[in-house]
Amino acid sequence: MAALTGSSATSSMSQSDVSVFPPVPLSAEAAPFTPDSWRLGSSSDVEKQFSRCAAKLRALRGDSSQLKEELNLVLDQLLSENYNKTLEPNINIRPEDMFSLLKHVSCLVPLSQEHLVIKLCQLVHHLLNQLKVIMDERTLDVLLNYTTGALKVCSTWTHSDVLLALSTIVYGNGPQCHQHLRDLLGEDGVLLLYSSPSQPNVELRRVALTCMANICLRIPGQAPLDDQYRSVCFRVFLKTLHSPKPPNTDELFYCMVTQAALKGLQCCLSGGKWKFVGEELGSVLAALKRLMFQGTPGVSVEWPPVLYPAPLPQYEGLSAPKPVEPPQSSEPPKDAAVSRKTSVNKKRKSKGKGKKTSSEERRVDDEDEVNPETVPALQKGGGREGGRSEGESLSKPSGPSLYPSWKRASSDSEFSDPEGSAQCKLRLYIARIRQGALHCLLAVVKGVEKRTLYGYWSSFIPDSPIGGQPPLTLITIILKDPSPKVRACALQVLSAMLDGSRQFLAIAEDTASPRKSYTPFSFLLATAIRELHRALSLALLAETSHQTLTQVIKCLAYLVANAPYHRLRPGLVSPLWKQMRPYVRHRDVNVRVSVLTLYGALVTTQAPLPEVQLLLRQPEASNSSTGSFTLQEPVLSWRQRDGESTPPTPVKPSLRSSQTHSPHGLRTPEEVDSAPPWLLQLCVLLVTQPREDQSDSEGVGTTGGAALEPSPVRLEALQVMSYLVRGYFSLAQACLCEIGQVSARCLGETDPSIQLHGAKLLEELGTVIIQQYRAENKASESLRVPMSQVVLFWSDVLSGPLNGALQSEQHPTLQTSACDALSSILPQAFAQLPDKTQLMCITVLLGLTYSENYLVKTAAVRALGVYILFPCLREDVMFVADTANTILAALDDRSPNVRAKAAWSLGNLTDALIVNMESVGVDFQEELSDMLLLKMLQAATRASADKDRVKSNAVRALGNLLHFLRQSQLTRSAFQRPLEDAVLALVKTVQSEATMKVRWNACYALGNAFRNPALPLDSAPWSSDAFSSLCHVVGSCKNFKVRIKSAAALAIPTNRRSYGDSKRFSCVWCSLAKALENSEDTNDFFEYRYSDSLRHTLSQALLHLLSVSESQDMPSLGASLAREEGKGIKEHLIKYLRAEEGGGGEGPEGEKEAGGDSCTPQQRIGGLQQTLIRLKELKAEGEGREEEERSKEMVVNFLEDLLQTCAEL
């Protein structure tokens, strides 16, 4: 594909050639306006001309005497046509015809005819650049051979045009040019020669750099350029950016060279994974930081060649040497603390007192040449230029004035008109350099590992509060740069740096008083966050470009989403919350959407945040003294007025105090507490109410009525509502029915996106209600939504448009979300729904499991896995059987997503079987079909060999099924082989290299199986493998949670017979004792935190073995306790009995990992005393009786000593 790589050879029309445009009536049906004089002919004329020229060229032969003249004429005709599809989209020149023409002409034009070579190169650039086609390999090879040959044979004066054509040919085709890359980018390659900083011809240098950039450009889906050549280009681009402007070189031309190098560097960094070597990253960042401020007025700094990840003294030294002064502090100055020259400009009085026109309020755009007379001056206090009244100017200067010396009133201009035009063009090109540098920096931020980039944050993000000389950072550009596009680029870079920085910023903290001896890094980070808040708030007030204003708000959203407000002093969120409120009425749709995105970030970050809770409780017309940016008016009165492009003037104190007594500000405390949050009201009305002041280009029209808000605004409002429900439901639950009505209205609309978000909102509502009613939720019942209201809510929802969404086959994503919403019903509320409604839910879900769309099937199978745990459904044998058959069918689905959810649902179903076995008893077990249980066992065994995400729940189901099977089933021949296969599948999973979650689930499943007293653990051939696998991993696995689960499983059997003979029992004991001895041997900190829980579980398991041991086990136990390891066992058992293990900082999780042991120290010691009494009563029989008695005495003495030690402590 071709792209714009330089100026075309064809001359464009001058303004004097443009005829007066005829008047055109405005109409919505009118075609896009295009001046007639821009059309060199209709598309058919262009195509006919191309065909005629192609026919003439095909008729030409190389031996013709008139060849040169005829070629010259035909090439001129082809070059005179306009093939731009932007202006003429109906041009339909076939790519193969163009390729055939170019290949034929390249055969006709000899390299000796240099004028014709130039015209052919111009034609190649002209056609490929305007028609934008992808070349086939044959054409690419022919044109590459021709242009590279021309570079070798033709004179130097032709090389500029040849390289321009070559840059168009190689655009995005770098990997396909491997045969020619050695000639172009080799040690003596022509591109390296012409792109060198020593090349005197600036135009050749620019085109060579452009050509290299296009070689490095990577088209999506294409293989990247070979690293060898990419590295060569990278070094050339970086060297160019660090090279000074040659003397006597036109500034404008050198700007174009720098732009080409920046574009090339961006292509290198974006063309695949890139590894910086040595100081390359610091060198790139130093060059980009210098170019970010290229041409910025008032900045005259000696820039370092390399930036380092730690603040070093050489950063941004003064351009003028100063006498050396003795150091005042041992701490090296930061990149931020530098001295710089600033241009001092006189403040000029405004020439007019009236309101400025829109043209005067416009800033310099780096894409438009602006007359110097129309450029407004900078406002006082260092703010950048822009149309603001004096009331909108910043109250405090954020730094030295960066008043551009080239921005002067027309009466004071020192330039003539041509000179002024040249200055405007130069400013335009310099702004493009700044923009290109920021694009490159964005590529670096996205391509470099976050952890590596954090060391350079201080070079681009200020970490010191206001005061003294401000640093040169991205904030400087955001607040000072005259170009809105440059400011927008800086905001994009800052957003990319903040995105994903939550883990890094989590260190920040300033709640404690700062130390006087040194400044902690956590305090510096907190200061940086506060400085970002301050600077972006200023940018919010100052910005006049809608596009850039959108980027400011998005950047604030990234900051809010990653900042640890719970570790910072309160007061950052409130001003931002109130400052954003006027922007919800902005006339630009993108601004309104970004404002809602920011509010969404505010209500999701560390929710529930106390400061946000207070803000949500405040009335809509808050008169807080900190809310100088709040609107003192009803929340949605703006909907009846025209929008404004800029925020209103901050409310003056007198105005604020006068409005304090307005009817809108009168509320009792009870009304404030019961009123729904302002943000929730806003979102509801944005979704449901028409906007009466929409422009012609926005709003969703409704038949015979006013238009609703544009779809993006409504979608974002629904998203914010979901966030509010998720994080602050206690404030929104009073409006449960109203929110449900909003969701139902959205489900009833025709826009699938609105329907989808309505379903997601419904799911959020159901989820938070379930969380309120969970047993571990200690909140009082008065804070819950009453059960009657929950039942009424779901009755209304299920009788509304949710049914239509569930049956919307043309929108499978909507069906999926509707299934998720259906699965979020509170179980207690589901039981109180009418039988007809319950049956409808079950029938719909069972039917959707047969959907051809895997997303719908996945959601339906998951919903059935939720329903099977409902108390009112799990005891229904028919529902259990239907659900089981559906899940078994889904386990054979070809989609891994469906199989994963089916395995999860099967695990839930078997959990329900265990609950029924314990609550209902044998009656339920007898009613369930043996054949169905056998199918489930076999399906779970097969699934245990699937992918890990299927396997993790399949082994859970196997453990439950092995626990559930009755004696009568285990003795049947049909169950013998499946039973053995199931246990061996668990053993294989325990010993496999699967993910640790799968392995600890398998260990838990074996322990679950051991709970079934009907399993023949003492005689079955597979039981030896089961115990051996657990004994192996309990001491060798690197993951402590796997060790914990295996140790807990070995302590499950309740009788000695289940452990088999004395040899196996001894193996189990020795494995646990060895694991306890090595319980602290780990180099992984993340595993070490589980060591307390591991020792707790191992100690519990050893005492359990002692409690069930028999006389034949005494020799091995006595020998173990008499050895050195016995001392270690004693120490750990003392800690366990004294309750010093099991918590260890883990809290409830530690107890949970310890197998659910919640016994008190007294209960543990009491159990040990019972064990001691039982052991004393043991009688040895048969051969070896004397040895058993001696060993028993050793064990008894060990336990007595253990109890005595515990009593003394």
Side-chain angles (χ1 to χ4, degrees):
M1 181 182 289
L4 297 175
T5 56
S7 58
S8 175
T10 57
S11 59
S12 60
M13 301 179 67
S14 64
Q15 279 190 329
S16 59
D17 298 329
V18 180
S19 59
V20 178
F21 301 143
V24 179
L26 295 178
S27 170
E29 290 77 19
F33 171 71
T34 305
D36 291 339
S37 56
W38 289 5
R39 298 174 179 158
L40 301 180
S42 65
S43 60
S44 59
D45 292 340
V46 173
E47 293 171 20
K48 289 177 182 177
Q49 178 74 346
F50 181 86
S51 300
R52 284 195 297 269
C53 292
K56 289 181 182 179
L57 289 172
R58 284 193 297 269
L60 291 177
R61 293 293 177 265
D63 54 358
S64 172
S65 59
Q66 302 295 323
L67 177 63
K68 181 177 179 180
E69 290 77 8
E70 292 177 357
L71 270 176
N72 194 46
L73 179 62
V74 175
L75 290 177
D76 283 341
Q77 290 176 346
L78 287 170
L79 285 170
S80 66
E81 296 294 340
N82 187 354
Y83 307 99
N84 195 333
K85 287 191 174 183
T86 305
L87 296 177
E88 293 291 347
N90 295 325
I91 294 178
N92 188 24
I93 297 176
R94 297 191 308 169
E96 52 268 27
D97 292 342
M98 186 188 70
F99 297 153
S100 176
L101 181 143
L102 292 176
K103 287 186 288 186
H104 184 64
V105 176
S106 64
C107 295
L108 293 177
V109 177
L111 296 179
S112 57
Q113 299 292 330
E114 294 184 346
H115 286 282
L116 290 178
V117 170
I118 288 178
K119 288 196 175 184
L120 172 57
C121 289
Q122 291 173 351
L123 180 64
V124 169
H125 172 72
H126 190 57
L127 289 175
L128 294 179
N129 197 36
Q130 292 197 351
L131 291 177
K132 294 178 172 56
V133 293
I134 301 175
M135 277 188 292
D136 56 69
E137 292 184 7
R138 174 61 184 160
T139 306
L140 178 64
D141 190 57
V142 169
L143 295 180
L144 277 174
N145 285 326
Y146 187 85
T147 50
T148 52
L151 290 173
K152 295 176 182 177
V153 175
C154 297
S155 303
T156 307
W157 68 273
T158 66
H159 287 187
S160 178
D161 288 289
V162 175
L163 286 174
L164 187 62
L166 180 62
S167 67
T168 314
I169 294 167
V170 299
Y171 184 88
N173 292 317
Q176 286 76 37
C177 305
H178 51 86
Q179 296 179 352
H180 303 272
L181 290 180
R182 183 179 297 275
D183 294 333
L184 296 173
L185 298 173
E187 189 173 348
D188 298 322
V190 62
L191 291 182
L192 293 186
L193 174 66
Y194 287 148
S195 63
S196 172
S198 59
Q199 171 59 236
N201 190 325
V202 179
E203 178 60 19
L204 269 180
R205 187 177 172 190
R206 180 191 70 82
V207 183
L209 289 169
T210 301
C211 193
M212 294 170 69
N214 289 352
I215 290 175
C216 295
L217 180 69
R218 182 184 180 186
I219 304 297
Q222 189 184 66
L225 183 66
D226 186 78
D227 287 344
Q228 173 190 351
Y229 297 111
R230 199 148 61 108
S231 299
V232 171
C233 295
F234 172 81
R235 289 192 292 271
V236 171
F237 297 138
L238 186 57
K239 188 176 181 181
T240 302
L241 295 179
H242 277 292
S243 301
K245 182 174 74 72
N248 302 324
T249 302
D250 185 81
E251 181 99 20
L252 199 61
F253 286 147
Y254 196 72
C255 283
M256 298 166 69
V257 171
T258 307
Q259 287 178 40
L262 285 170
K263 183 64 178 175
L265 186 63
Q266 183 184 355
C267 292
C268 276
L269 298 173
S270 305
K273 292 184 179 179
W274 183 265
K275 291 185 178 180
F276 291 98
V277 180
E279 295 183 348
E280 281 184 350
L281 177 58
S283 180
V284 168
L285 293 176
L288 295 180
K289 183 169 183 180
R290 174 174 58 83
L291 294 171
M292 280 162 41
F293 294 95
Q294 179 86 10
T296 302
V299 176
S300 179
V301 175
E302 286 184 0
W303 300 92
V306 178
L307 291 180
Y308 296 98
L312 294 177
Q314 86 272 21
Y315 278 15
E316 292 184 7
L318 289 173
S319 57
K322 282 188 175 183
V324 179
E325 295 180 0
Q328 299 295 325
S329 172
S330 59
E331 184 178 352
K334 296 191 175 193
D335 183 13
V338 298
S339 298
R340 53 183 59 82
K341 296 180 180 178
T342 57
S343 59
V344 180
N345 296 273
K346 295 182 178 180
K347 300 173 184 176
R348 304 183 181 277
K349 295 182 179 179
S350 175
K351 294 189 176 183
K353 297 183 180 179
K355 184 177 179 181
K356 297 183 180 180
T357 62
S358 59
S359 62
E360 290 174 335
E361 292 178 352
R362 202 168 52 225
R363 294 174 184 268
V364 179
D365 193 326
D366 56 347
E367 293 296 334
D368 301 313
E369 294 185 9
V370 182
N371 191 311
E373 298 181 7
T374 65
V375 179
L378 262 176
Q379 295 205 357
K380 299 180 181 180
R384 59 175 184 264
E385 66 283 0
R388 299 193 211 115
S389 62
E390 292 182 2
E392 293 174 292
S393 62
L394 304 184
S395 59
K396 290 185 179 181
S398 59
S401 172
L402 297 183
Y403 184 90
S405 58
W406 36 265
K407 288 183 183 292
R408 301 178 183 272
S410 58
S411 59
D412 297 330
S413 175
E414 299 175 3
F415 304 109
S416 61
D417 287 343
E419 289 173 336
S421 178
Q423 288 293 315
C424 280
K425 191 171 185 180
L426 179 59
R427 291 200 301 274
L428 171 66
Y429 276 59
I430 292 175
R432 288 177 180 172
I433 288 178
R434 298 198 299 272
Q435 189 176 352
L438 288 166
H439 281 150
C440 273
L441 184 57
L442 182 61
V444 173
V445 171
K446 290 183 176 180
V448 176
E449 187 181 359
K450 290 281 185 185
R451 187 176 300 177
T452 304
L453 203 61
Y454 290 148
Y456 297 93
W457 266 40
S458 59
S459 297
F460 298 96
I461 295 177
D463 59 358
S464 58
I466 186 170
Q469 293 288 345
L472 292 181
T473 61
L474 289 169
I475 293 300
T476 312
I477 299 174
I478 293 169
L479 291 176
K480 305 292 184 181
D481 199 284
S483 168
K485 290 192 175 182
V486 175
R487 298 196 300 272
C489 287
L491 287 161
Q492 289 175 353
V493 175
L494 183 56
S495 298
M497 293 177 70
L498 291 170
D499 187 21
S501 63
R502 182 177 303 170
Q503 188 174 3
F504 174 62
L505 294 179
I507 310 169
E509 184 175 14
D510 66 354
T511 52
S513 57
R515 300 175 182 268
K516 295 182 179 180
S517 56
Y518 69 95
T519 303
F521 181 64
S522 60
F523 187 79
L524 284 178
L525 268 184
T527 305
I529 293 173
R530 290 187 176 279
E531 181 67 7
L532 285 174
H533 269 275
R534 184 194 70 84
L536 291 175
S537 295
L538 290 177
L540 197 66
L541 288 174
E543 193 54 65
T544 56
S545 166
H546 294 178
Q547 292 79 8
T548 312
L549 180 62
T550 303
Q551 292 298 330
V552 174
I553 301 172
K554 286 182 178 179
C555 190
L556 278 166
Y558 279 110
L559 175 60
V560 167
N562 292 279
Y565 293 104
H566 61 292
R567 295 170 58 90
L568 303 175
R569 295 195 312 273
L572 280 177
V573 173
S574 300
L576 181 60
W577 179 283
K578 296 168 183 176
Q579 187 178 5
M580 292 310 303
R581 288 179 63 167
Y583 291 92
V584 298
R585 61 175 177 151
H586 201 283
R587 66 181 173 192
D588 186 87
V589 175
N590 294 321
V591 173
R592 298 206 299 276
V593 172
S594 61
V595 170
L596 290 172
T597 303
L598 177 54
Y599 274 125
L602 285 166
V603 296
T604 52
T605 181
Q606 297 110 44
L609 201 64
E611 191 173 355
V612 174
Q613 283 183 317
L614 290 174
L615 290 167
L616 287 170
R617 284 196 175 105
Q618 285 182 0
E620 61 197 34
S622 172
N623 54 9
S624 172
S625 60
T626 59
S628 59
F629 305 109
T630 56
L631 289 179
Q632 307 301 322
E633 54 191 31
V635 59
L636 289 172
S637 61
W638 54 270
R639 300 179 64 87
Q640 283 73 41
R641 297 199 311 269
D642 292 335
E644 296 182 15
S645 62
T646 56
T649 305
V651 180
K652 298 179 181 179
S654 59
L655 180 60
R656 189 158 55 240
S657 61
S658 65
Q659 291 179 341
T660 302
H661 303 287
S662 66
H664 306 300
L666 289 176
R667 278 196 182 172
T668 64
E670 293 78 8
E671 289 175 331
V672 171
D673 291 338
S674 62
W678 165 84
L679 187 57
L680 181 61
Q681 295 182 68
L682 170 68
C683 292
V684 168
L685 294 179
L686 286 175
V687 173
T688 60
Q689 298 301 314
R691 178 178 172 88
E692 299 181 4
D693 60 331
Q694 73 277 1
S695 62
D696 295 338
S697 60
E698 64 180 46
V700 180
T702 56
T703 306
L708 295 172
E709 285 282 349
S711 182
V713 176
R714 302 180 70 210
L715 292 175
E716 201 62 38
L718 286 168
Q719 192 73 43
V720 175
M721 288 179 68
S722 297
Y723 294 151
L724 275 170
V725 166
R726 184 189 307 168
Y728 299 90
F729 185 63
S730 59
L731 301 178
Q733 68 182 30
C735 307
L736 177 64
C737 292
E738 289 78 2
I739 299 174
Q741 290 171 3
V742 172
S743 176
R745 169 173 175 153
C746 293
L747 285 169
E749 293 193 19
T750 56
D751 186 348
S753 299
I754 299 293
Q755 291 177 303
L756 180 63
H757 279 71
K760 289 186 179 296
L761 176 59
L762 194 58
E763 181 190 358
E764 288 289 350
L765 282 169
T767 303
V768 295
I769 292 174
I770 291 174
Q771 290 173 352
Q772 279 192 340
Y773 277 84
R774 280 182 178 165
E776 59 267 23
N777 192 338
K778 303 301 181 181
S780 63
E781 291 190 11
S782 61
L783 299 177
R784 296 176 181 174
V785 179
M787 182 61 65
S788 59
Q789 190 176 354
V790 178
V791 174
L792 177 62
F793 169 77
W794 281 111
S795 299
D796 293 341
V797 167
L798 294 174
S799 61
L802 183 61
N803 292 334
L806 288 165
Q807 299 172 17
S808 179
E809 296 182 1
Q810 66 274 25
H811 300 301
T813 309
L814 176 60
Q815 279 185 296
T816 302
S817 292
C819 283
D820 293 337
L822 206 60
S823 68
S824 65
I825 301 178
L826 182 67
Q828 299 92 314
F830 186 88
Q832 297 184 28
L833 291 174
D835 293 343
K836 178 181 177 182
T837 304
Q838 294 184 21
L839 184 61
M840 182 271 295
C841 294
I842 296 170
T843 305
V844 168
L845 290 177
L846 288 171
L848 289 176
T849 58
Y850 296 97
S851 171
E852 296 181 357
N853 186 280
Y854 81 94
L855 291 174
V856 178
K857 185 182 293 189
T858 301
V861 170
R862 176 192 170 277
L864 287 173
V866 174
Y867 276 31
I868 197 65
L869 295 175
F870 284 8
C872 63
L873 294 178
R874 68 175 179 231
E875 297 177 7
D876 186 340
V877 177
M878 293 301 297
F879 174 71
V880 171
D882 290 341
T883 302
N885 286 318
T886 301
I887 292 172
L888 292 178
L891 276 174
D892 294 328
D893 196 272
R894 62 182 181 180
S895 169
N897 293 330
V898 174
R899 297 199 304 274
K901 285 303 178 187
W904 179 82
S905 295
L906 182 62
N908 284 6
L909 188 148
T910 55
D911 286 343
L913 296 183
I914 300 300
V915 174
N916 288 340
M917 180 183 69
E918 295 171 352
S919 59
V920 180
V922 181
D923 293 340
F924 181 85
Q925 289 178 282
E926 292 177 347
E927 287 185 34
L928 201 62
S929 165
D930 289 355
M931 187 57 63
L932 180 59
L933 281 173
L934 182 61
K935 287 181 180 180
M936 292 166 64
L937 189 66
Q938 293 171 331
T941 303
R942 290 193 302 271
S944 67
D946 206 329
K947 299 182 182 225
D948 280 358
R949 55 182 177 155
V950 179
K951 190 184 300 184
S952 62
N953 285 297
V955 296
R956 177 166 71 99
L958 279 176
N960 285 328
L961 289 170
L962 292 173
H963 184 190
F964 184 79
L965 293 174
R966 291 174 290 127
Q967 180 72 37
S968 60
Q969 295 164 332
L970 294 173
T971 55
R972 290 180 56 183
S973 58
F975 278 85
Q976 295 300 312
R977 185 58 186 272
L979 173 63
E980 182 177 355
D981 291 342
V983 176
L984 292 180
L986 292 177
V987 170
K988 183 179 178 181
T989 305
V990 169
Q991 297 175 337
S992 69
E993 295 298 325
T995 59
M996 295 306 171
K997 179 180 179 180
V998 174
R999 295 181 69 184
W1000 78 57
N1001 273 5
C1003 291
Y1004 182 84
L1006 279 175
N1008 203 1
F1010 290 170
R1011 297 179 189 276
N1012 190 344
L1015 281 180
L1017 294 178
D1018 56 336
S1019 59
W1022 43 259
S1023 63
S1024 177
D1025 294 332
F1027 278 104
S1028 297
S1029 63
L1030 292 173
C1031 289
H1032 175 71
V1033 299
V1034 77
S1036 63
C1037 185
K1038 294 180 180 179
N1039 186 278
F1040 276 21
K1041 292 184 77 173
V1042 175
R1043 293 197 202 183
I1044 291 169
K1045 296 297 183 184
S1046 58
L1050 289 172
I1052 292 296
T1054 56
N1055 55 71
R1056 171 63 185 83
R1057 180 177 57 85
S1058 300
Y1059 285 99
D1061 57 18
S1062 58
K1063 183 178 180 180
R1064 186 192 297 173
F1065 186 89
S1066 175
C1067 177
V1068 173
W1069 172 272
C1070 292
S1071 299
L1072 291 171
K1074 189 69 174 177
L1076 185 60
E1077 182 182 353
N1078 300 328
S1079 59
E1080 295 184 3
D1081 295 346
T1082 181
N1083 295 324
D1084 189 347
F1085 171 76
F1086 292 101
E1087 297 302 329
Y1088 185 79
R1089 59 182 174 167
Y1090 295 113
S1091 60
D1092 287 349
S1093 298
L1094 175 60
R1095 286 190 292 272
H1096 180 96
T1097 309
L1098 290 169
S1099 301
Q1100 180 188 357
L1102 288 173
L1103 289 178
H1104 175 74
L1105 289 181
L1106 286 171
S1107 68
V1108 298
S1109 61
E1110 298 291 345
S1111 59
Q1112 67 266 25
D1113 304 318
M1114 292 299 112
S1116 59
L1117 295 179
S1120 172
L1121 295 175
R1123 291 194 297 267
E1124 188 67 27
E1125 69 178 9
K1127 296 181 180 179
I1129 292 175
K1130 180 180 177 181
E1131 292 177 3
H1132 289 298
L1133 290 181
I1134 290 173
K1135 292 179 181 179
Y1136 169 74
L1137 292 171
R1138 299 292 300 173
E1140 295 182 16
E1141 296 282 333
E1146 293 294 322
E1149 184 178 353
E1151 291 293 334
K1152 183 179 179 181
E1153 298 299 345
D1157 177 23
S1158 57
C1159 298
T1160 63
Q1162 292 77 14
Q1163 290 173 324
R1164 294 171 188 166
I1165 293 175
L1168 182 58
Q1169 290 171 343
Q1170 293 295 326
T1171 299
L1172 180 59
I1173 295 171
R1174 192 187 69 82
L1175 290 179
K1176 287 180 178 180
E1177 295 174 352
L1178 284 178
K1179 300 294 183 181
E1181 299 178 358
E1183 297 180 1
R1185 181 171 54 186
E1186 293 181 359
E1187 181 183 359
E1188 291 179 3
E1189 286 291 342
R1190 286 196 303 271
S1191 299
K1192 186 184 78 169
E1193 288 299 323
M1194 295 175 61
V1195 175
V1196 168
N1197 291 336
F1198 175 85
L1199 295 181
E1200 288 177 342
D1201 187 38
L1202 182 62
L1203 287 171
Q1204 183 179 356
T1205 305
C1206 291
E1208 293 175 353
L1209 293 176

